[in-house]
Amino acid sequence: QQEGGSKTSSSSPRSIESLAYGFLQVANEAMCRPIRNLTQMKGYDIKKHGLACFGGAGPQHACAMAQRLGMRKVFVHRYSGI
């Protein structure tokens, strides 16, 4: 902040949607990293497997995560959010 309380920004203002999408990308990458690390550590080719999602927001993230991981299949159980 500058004197007088006004805020300055060196970047252009972002929309609420753009900001929310950025948070979603960060969350997806934070969930992909351990999956990637564990599968590579055990010598598995992650692209040959499917992603099974669970939890209340699992299906919300599943397709984007599978795409990031190079997976072609996503399994969503009908009761995954229960």
Side-chain angles (χ1 to χ4, degrees):
Q1 286 187 354
Q2 289 182 334
E3 291 179 23
S6 65
K7 294 181 180 180
T8 59
S9 176
S10 60
S11 63
S12 61
R14 296 183 183 255
S15 69
I16 299 282
E17 292 82 6
S18 173
L19 186 61
Y21 182 66
F23 280 116
L24 192 60
Q25 287 180 311
V26 169
N28 288 343
E29 183 55 35
M31 290 183 279
C32 286
R33 194 172 303 121
I35 295 169
R36 200 179 294 118
N37 291 342
L38 288 171
T39 54
Q40 288 175 350
M41 182 176 63
K42 293 186 177 195
Y44 296 116
D45 182 5
I46 198 166
K47 295 177 182 177
K48 293 182 179 179
H49 292 83
L51 180 66
C53 66
F54 57 90
Q60 175 183 339
H61 297 274
C63 291
M65 287 178 59
Q67 186 175 23
R68 279 184 171 275
L69 294 168
M71 297 175 155
R72 297 180 54 105
K73 291 184 182 179
V74 175
F75 300 102
V76 180
H77 191 276
R78 84 172 81 183
Y79 300 118
S80 65
I82 295 178

